[in-house]
Amino acid sequence: MSKTQWYFPNNGGGLADGFNNSGIDTFKGQRLSALVRETVQNSLDASIDTNQPVTVNFSIITIDKKEAPEVSSLEEHLSLAKETAKKQNLDFAVDFYDAAIKMIKENEKINFLCIHDSNTMGLTGPVTGPNGAWFALTKGAGLSQKTSTSSLGSFGHGSKAPFANSNVRSLFYLTKIKQDSGHKYRFQGKSILQSHAKSATEMSQGTGFYGKLEGCLPLENDEIPKWAIRTREEFSKNTGTSIFVPHTIFNLGSYKSIAITAIANFFYAIKKGYLIVQVGDFETLTSDNIEERYHYYKNELDKTFDEVDNEYISECFKAIETIVNYTDRGEQQISKFGRIDWYIRMGEDVDTRSVAIARENGMLITRSAPSLQRFQNLKPFDFFVCVTGEGSETLKNIENPEHNNFAFDRIDNLIKRKDAKRKYEIFASSVRELLKRFAQYTSDDRVTVDELEDLFSEISEIPEEGKGHTERGATIQIADGSYGFKPRPPSDSSLPGDGSLDDLKGRGQRGGEKKKRKEGGEKPDKDGKTKIIGPSKPTSGLKPKNYMKLENIRMRAKNDSEAYIYFDAPITGNVSISFKKSGEVGNEALNLMLDGKTVNAVDVKLVKGERECVLVKFSERKIDFSVEAEAYEIDN
């Protein structure tokens, strides 16, 4: 048994690893996107000089099989793993091993996908652990060692992404680091197969290593295969890391797919000068040319790329379009959260309401973040925001292992989870306020839809002399229904449209099935039929006989601060009514204006069963909310 070889340690009677590996399977759906995202973010996290860009190079090389016996010697372990899979009736695993063994036997050349970085510190730390970047990458499981608390990588799962792009589920790591005694190279192979029989009584672990047999230690300097050192130094002789993916699923035709994926995920990082991406001799993406290359690849999106998730790339490109062709942009320090840089794009070519979030060095995380998916009463927009510093650390704590969304229950500690949720809500609220500044509908944005005239023309929400009030109008505000106000459920069986006869005194809008009602009623008026009977009283000082939440509320703005409030009267008598904002904007109490004074409630006289209408003036400068109302019965 030689001192340098593949070795799968004994499992010591412990758990046996199966063929399915959650870390690898996580990335199979988006192999190329995951590979690019995970490897580039790891390089950005290891930057040495933050005033200079990190360079990441993706290239495909071909070397003779005889020059890399460390690949060919995998065949023995693939065969043993195949026999175990047969006994377990795992046909899909057997098929994988058959294809891998055939590839090693029949190919005289080995295609490697090589990923090199520079302006990085390399994989530092002790080779035997328990800490350090080298140990975390080569021997860790769910272990991440980052130089910054706000680094993009958070969980250590990303190290499995390259394995999903190897037809033999194996990698080789080469790193050059700086030590007190000078520079040093380290090299190690890693293969993730499954536990297999080593003898009649011994089973192996599922993961094996190529290097020194004793302790599964890495090779150093002159012990390292010459092809690996040569390939690395053709790219850079400085400190940094290289990953070699043998028998890769990619070929030279994959270069365009790699370039378009790098642009989609790291456009902002490249534009800001944090990153340069090289794709062989085919493409170099820099801050100087990234916009031009984006426009080129944008026109290529309608073509089919086998390795590319076109739907995902298209979503990323929408965010890039916002950065390139923004309507407005800015930066902001959010109290108790951190700094954000933002871009907003609006116009006829925008047909969605989307917020894209990146953090720290600019990798796009998600376009479907919690509390930032539905937007009430806003024009279509596309918004991009990059979170840095303290805010980035907050987002990292709630980021999932795939780095494509946020979930608060990822934090086990309830106190820290609550704190993260509070900070995130501050961030989301600030984003919403920004969006309201630019995308709020105004009266000038209303349009008349001729196609709906027959439906609405017989009903008007505008009070007219001699006619009663109703609550719908021929002039309607166009907004996506998925972002509109939530319909309120009927409060009882006697409300409009229930199909039963209605003998309540009404205003012309009531009636059952097939019962045509003319517009108008017996109690017309101009500015709301229910009279405000006295000065408002603060609800906090009342001792109510009866508390009730008003049902079936509708509001129609008269101008920027006044509105007609329609509701069903629950009782006959005098009540004091107060209002609150409702929906996604929160439940904030609303102040009113009465006789030039600010009040928090109005006193009105009701008749049970009537459809009431009260004209109120809010102290808010602009009515851009829906309302809830509650009433307290007061003495006559």
Side-chain angles (χ1 to χ4, degrees):
M1 192 176 282
S2 64
K3 291 184 179 181
T4 301
Q5 64 178 61
W6 282 102
Y7 180 65
F8 286 72
N10 296 344
N11 75 346
L15 295 176
D17 297 315
F19 176 79
N20 292 321
N21 183 283
S22 60
I24 297 175
D25 293 342
T26 294
F27 302 110
K28 281 186 177 179
Q30 297 181 346
R31 294 174 191 260
L32 180 55
S33 287
L35 173 76
V36 172
R37 285 165 63 85
E38 299 296 334
T39 54
V40 173
Q41 69 153 22
N42 285 337
S43 297
L44 286 170
D45 289 343
S47 172
I48 294 177
D49 183 358
T50 56
N51 295 317
Q52 297 295 323
V54 168
T55 299
V56 180
N57 177 286
F58 295 85
S59 58
I60 296 171
I61 64 169
T62 301
I63 65 174
D64 289 335
K65 178 179 181 178
K66 293 179 181 178
E67 193 179 358
E70 48 276 358
V71 177
S72 301
S73 57
L74 266 172
E75 182 184 343
E76 173 190 352
H77 299 281
L78 290 165
S79 297
L80 291 172
K82 172 187 170 182
E83 292 306 312
T84 300
K86 274 186 176 180
K87 294 176 183 178
Q88 296 170 339
N89 296 318
L90 300 177
D91 293 340
F92 59 91
V94 173
D95 291 342
F96 167 82
Y97 293 126
D98 279 338
I101 291 168
K102 182 179 180 181
M103 183 166 286
I104 288 176
K105 280 184 175 181
E106 297 182 0
N107 288 283
E108 296 303 316
K109 301 284 186 179
I110 302 172
N111 287 335
F112 282 92
L113 171 64
C114 309
I115 308 167
H116 312 286
D117 67 29
S118 65
N119 189 27
T120 63
M121 62 186 64
L123 300 174
T124 58
V127 296
T128 55
N131 63 306
W134 173 266
F135 185 78
L137 184 63
T138 60
K139 301 291 179 65
L143 177 62
S144 178
Q145 290 286 311
K146 300 293 183 177
T147 58
S148 168
T149 56
S150 57
S151 298
L152 293 173
S154 312
F155 300 96
H157 303 299
S159 62
K160 301 297 192 302
F163 286 92
N165 297 281
S166 167
N167 283 310
V168 292
R169 279 197 7 182
S170 303
L171 305 176
F172 295 96
Y173 300 106
L174 174 68
T175 192
K176 187 175 186 179
I177 60 174
K178 186 177 181 180
Q179 297 183 323
D180 293 339
S181 56
H183 289 88
K184 176 185 284 189
Y185 274 115
R186 293 172 174 171
F187 177 88
Q188 186 145 49
K190 185 174 181 178
S191 182
I192 301 178
L193 303 179
Q194 70 177 85
S195 294
H196 49 270
K198 300 181 70 174
S199 67
T201 58
E202 290 182 330
M203 286 286 288
S204 75
Q205 297 178 22
T207 300
F209 301 92
Y210 182 86
K212 297 176 183 177
L213 177 61
E214 185 178 354
C216 294
L217 296 177
L219 305 180
E220 297 182 347
N221 296 333
D222 294 341
E223 302 169 327
I224 297 171
K226 289 183 173 54
W227 65 264
I229 297 284
R230 181 182 69 244
T231 304
R232 167 72 196 180
E233 292 194 342
E234 286 175 357
F235 165 71
S236 173
K237 295 184 179 181
N238 296 322
T239 60
T241 300
S242 297
I243 300 175
F244 302 97
V245 185
H247 291 299
T248 177
I249 65 174
F250 302 118
N251 53 50
L252 294 177
S254 303
Y255 276 164
K256 185 173 285 190
S257 297
I258 294 172
I260 200 171
T261 302
I263 292 171
N265 288 280
F266 292 99
F267 176 90
Y268 190 69
I270 298 171
K271 178 179 173 63
K272 298 291 283 187
Y274 306 146
L275 175 68
I276 293 174
V277 176
Q278 298 175 346
V279 187
D281 296 327
F282 171 77
E283 186 81 83
T284 299
L285 305 171
T286 70
S287 59
D288 293 330
N289 70 3
I290 188 61
E291 288 195 20
E292 182 270 324
R293 300 316 295 157
Y294 156 68
H295 287 298
Y296 169 78
Y297 284 107
K298 179 183 176 183
N299 295 327
E300 297 284 299
L301 277 181
D302 58 345
K303 299 179 181 179
T304 300
F305 297 94
D306 292 338
E307 302 96 346
V308 167
D309 181 344
N310 279 33
E311 182 177 352
Y312 170 75
I313 297 296
S314 295
E315 284 298 304
C316 292
F317 271 38
K318 291 178 183 177
I320 296 173
E321 186 68 20
T322 297
I323 300 170
V324 172
N325 291 317
Y326 59 85
T327 305
D328 212 322
R329 60 158 298 184
E331 59 186 55
Q332 181 175 337
Q333 187 71 29
I334 301 176
S335 177
K336 300 180 181 179
F337 181 75
R339 172 179 161 150
I340 63 172
D341 297 316
W342 56 267
Y343 301 74
I344 189 169
R345 176 169 55 95
M346 300 176 63
E348 294 181 358
D349 61 328
V350 181
D351 58 3
T352 61
R353 298 168 180 83
S354 298
V355 173
I357 299 177
R359 67 177 186 86
E360 203 55 37
N361 288 332
M363 184 175 78
L364 182 62
I365 303 296
T366 184
R367 285 174 61 85
S368 57
S371 300
L372 291 170
Q373 297 181 48
R374 299 187 61 189
F375 298 92
Q376 185 172 291
N377 241 23
L378 296 185
K379 304 173 191 176
F381 64 84
D382 199 89
F383 189 83
F384 173 88
V385 57
C386 184
V387 180
T388 59
E390 181 183 353
S392 180
E393 183 177 351
T394 296
L395 295 185
K396 183 191 78 171
N397 292 332
I398 58 174
E399 190 176 305
N400 63 7
E402 295 85 2
H403 309 296
N404 60 17
N405 217 325
F406 307 109
F408 299 106
D409 59 4
R410 298 202 61 81
I411 303 177
D412 293 326
N413 185 295
L414 294 180
I415 295 176
K416 291 183 177 180
R417 183 192 302 175
K418 184 177 179 180
D419 182 61
K421 188 173 184 178
R422 178 183 61 82
K423 290 179 179 178
Y424 181 86
E425 288 173 349
I426 292 172
F427 161 67
S429 178
S430 297
V431 169
R432 285 186 172 276
E433 287 301 315
L434 275 170
L435 293 172
K436 285 170 66 176
R437 278 173 48 192
F438 294 98
Q440 184 72 52
Y441 274 113
T442 67
S443 58
D444 294 336
D445 299 312
R446 297 186 178 188
V447 297
T448 299
V449 183
D450 294 336
E451 290 81 353
L452 299 180
E453 184 176 359
D454 291 341
L455 178 61
F456 290 102
S457 60
E458 294 183 0
I459 307 173
S460 175
E461 194 173 53
I462 301 174
E464 296 181 14
E465 194 70 39
K467 293 185 178 181
H469 286 276
T470 55
E471 300 165 39
R472 293 181 291 175
T475 301
I476 62 174
Q477 183 173 307
I478 300 302
D480 188 329
S482 63
Y483 296 90
F485 296 106
K486 298 179 181 178
R488 296 182 179 276
S491 58
D492 56 48
S493 61
S494 66
L495 293 181
D498 61 7
S500 62
L501 292 176
D502 211 335
D503 61 358
L504 293 174
K505 294 179 180 180
R507 311 193 61 80
Q509 79 273 27
R510 296 182 182 274
E513 185 178 5
K514 298 182 180 179
K515 300 293 183 181
K516 185 175 181 180
R517 293 291 185 266
K518 296 181 180 179
E519 183 183 11
E522 63 185 34
K523 297 181 180 179
D525 62 56
K526 185 175 181 180
D527 287 328
K529 75 180 185 66
T530 301
K531 184 179 180 181
I532 297 176
I533 61 174
S536 66
K537 300 178 182 180
T539 56
S540 60
L542 292 175
K543 295 182 179 179
K545 295 180 180 178
N546 188 19
Y547 157 82
M548 61 214 81
K549 186 173 182 180
L550 298 183
E551 298 290 343
N552 201 19
I553 295 179
R554 298 292 295 272
M555 178 172 70
R556 179 177 62 78
K558 180 180 180 182
N559 51 47
D560 282 351
S561 60
E562 291 182 290
Y564 296 98
I565 309 295
Y566 300 86
F567 57 94
D568 294 337
I571 64 169
T572 296
N574 297 331
V575 298
S576 182
I577 302 176
S578 59
F579 299 91
K580 295 188 298 184
K581 292 182 180 180
S582 68
E584 293 187 63
V585 293
N587 295 101
E588 176 186 345
L590 289 165
N591 289 325
L592 309 172
M593 299 300 295
L594 185 63
D595 298 329
K597 297 180 180 179
T598 302
V599 298
N600 60 8
V602 292
D603 297 346
V604 298
K605 185 174 183 179
L606 305 180
V607 177
K608 183 176 181 180
E610 289 283 349
R611 184 66 174 162
E612 304 288 1
C613 176
V614 178
L615 177 64
V616 298
K617 184 174 183 179
F618 295 103
S619 62
E620 297 270 344
R621 293 183 179 179
K622 187 173 183 179
I623 298 175
D624 56 1
F625 45 80
S626 57
V627 298
E628 296 177 0
E630 55 190 26
Y632 294 91
E633 186 178 2
I634 58 178
D635 293 332
N636 293 330

